[in-house]
Amino acid sequence: MRVLEFEPFCDLIPLCDWLAAHKHPVLEEKELPALGWIAYDGETPVATAFLRMVEGGMAQLDGLCTNPTLPGAQRHEAIDLVVAKCLEEAKARGITKVYALSVDEGILVRSQKHGFVRAPHVLIVHNPKGVA
């Protein structure tokens, strides 16, 4: 399995298909962070992850998504690879903290393997257009 930079021209369509299959909102290219990676197994895209840069030397690990048609073991390996790539890039850029949001218990358990710890915070959101 290999990890490549996310290229919207060829990688956005598979990502949007996965998001729709997972019943998540589909993204437009302008909504994607500039830093992203996609894991491929041969010619098959398997998982994505992005670093969304935040002021103050921080970044958000975002856009973690997998190809729902593939076996769990293959998706798990790909998730670990793209998350590791995000953390490697964050370190190279001098990022002091990387945070992520998830409600998926499997992701929350896996995150500990990469050094994340659960924070007691609750996410609150304000959307002026009234859409969550």
Side-chain angles (χ1 to χ4, degrees), residues 1 39 41 46 72-82 110:
M1 205 170 293
D41 194 352
V46 184
Q74 192 176 17
R75 291 179 302 175
H76 292 278
E77 179 184 352
I79 288 170
D80 282 341
L81 290 171
V82 293
R110 172 182 281 108

Side-chain angles (χ1 to χ4, degrees), residues 86-101:
C86 285
L87 297 176
E88 175 187 308
E89 183 68 22
K91 184 176 181 179
R93 290 174 176 261
I95 300 300
T96 58
K97 288 190 175 92
V98 176
Y99 67 91
L101 307 167

Side-chain angles (χ1 to χ4, degrees), residues 33-37 49-53 59-62 86 89-90 98:
L35 298 173
W37 295 271
F50 298 86
L51 268 183
R52 190 174 295 278
M53 304 308 288
Q60 178 183 352
L61 188 124
D62 194 16
C86 285
E89 183 68 22
V98 176

